Amino acid sequence: MFKHKHPYPPFIKDDTKKLIVGTLPPPRFTTGELLEKDVDFCYGSYYNSLWLYIDKIHDLGLRYDNSKEAISQRKDFLIKNKIGVCDIVGSAEREKIDASDIGMTNIKLRDVIGYLQKYPSIKTLLFTGGNSKNGPEYFFRKHIKDYNIKLELVSNVTPKIHQFVLPSLIKSSIVTIKQKRIIKTVSLTSGSGAANIAIGSNPLYKQLKAKNPKFNTFDFRVMQYSEFF
């Protein structure tokens, strides 16, 4: 049994406004056996593609290697744009050593709600996947049950958007006041190859593909992600 532990702590600053929420990076990031084009940082797998989309959207000219500069480029982008990363899975076990979400067992979740309470500037959660089993939204829905929080549907169009009320406490020398915060969640189309099937059946994708045969699933994600990154 492989103990798959998340290798990176949450990357959050005091002024972070958006938080990327995924599950776990591939096992090689836990063991340190990175590929040549991997970056030793959140979403550093070259085959995950999240940074490829962001790079395309902002024309960043990112490096894709094991260098410290590649890490710094990504951190600088996140800090400048007030974006953080807090994957919801802290650890899991696997019988088969691969990166599939469905293969995880004995899953330990991070306290994402606790981080939201600690960092009051966060207004949006960006899930790197929807509500399919063992996806980030799926785990988040399980997590918020402990806090008696429910998601309210805002938009049923891909990417689906929800919101929820996060009660937070403001303490003063006189009284403790309960203040409500509205947090928006966006369930982005996963960067995994398996999600290409879902994209292929998307009506908007079919329409754009018909107009431009060269339009592909990468272009679709770039178009979708650009609104939120």
Side-chain angles (χ1 to χ4, degrees), residues 16 65 76 101 108 111 133 162-163 169 172 191 196:
T16 295
D65 54 34
D76 290 347
D101 284 339
K108 308 298 182 185
D111 185 10
K133 186 176 180 181
H162 296 81
Q163 66 180 20
L169 301 179
S172 69
N196 290 338

Side-chain angles (χ1 to χ4, degrees), residues 42-90:
C42 306
Y43 296 91
S45 170
Y46 184 74
Y47 301 100
N48 174 275
S49 300
L50 176 63
W51 282 110
L52 291 175
Y53 307 141
I54 293 174
D55 197 355
K56 178 70 174 180
I57 293 166
H58 293 276
D59 193 22
L60 298 175
L62 296 177
R63 292 184 61 155
Y64 296 89
D65 54 34
N66 302 163
S67 68
K68 291 182 179 179
E69 182 182 348
I71 298 173
S72 295
Q73 287 177 333
R74 286 153 177 78
K75 287 183 176 180
D76 290 347
F77 171 84
L78 294 174
I79 292 170
K80 179 181 178 181
N81 290 276
K82 296 180 172 55
I83 300 173
V85 182
C86 182
D87 287 342
I88 194 166
V89 178

Side-chain angles (χ1 to χ4, degrees), residues 155-212:
S155 173
N156 199 34
V157 179
T158 304
K160 290 183 179 179
I161 297 175
H162 296 81
Q163 66 180 20
F164 64 93
V165 176
L166 177 75
S168 57
L169 301 179
I170 300 178
K171 295 183 178 180
S172 69
S173 57
I174 302 174
V175 67
T176 298
I177 305 171
K178 285 188 176 181
Q179 184 185 51
K180 290 185 177 180
R181 279 169 62 196
I182 303 296
I183 306 293
K184 180 173 74 173
T185 72
V186 181
S187 298
L188 298 166
T189 300
S190 170
S192 70
N196 290 338
I197 299 174
I199 293 176
S201 61
N202 183 284
L204 177 58
Y205 176 78
K206 289 180 178 179
Q207 180 183 348
L208 295 171
K209 184 75 170 177
K211 289 182 179 179
N212 177 13

Side-chain angles (χ1 to χ4, degrees), residues 117-134:
Q117 292 172 332
K118 182 178 179 180
Y119 295 94
S121 62
I122 298 172
K123 302 180 185 302
T124 304
L125 301 181
L126 301 175
F127 296 132
T128 59
N131 194 29
S132 57
K133 186 176 180 181
N134 287 7

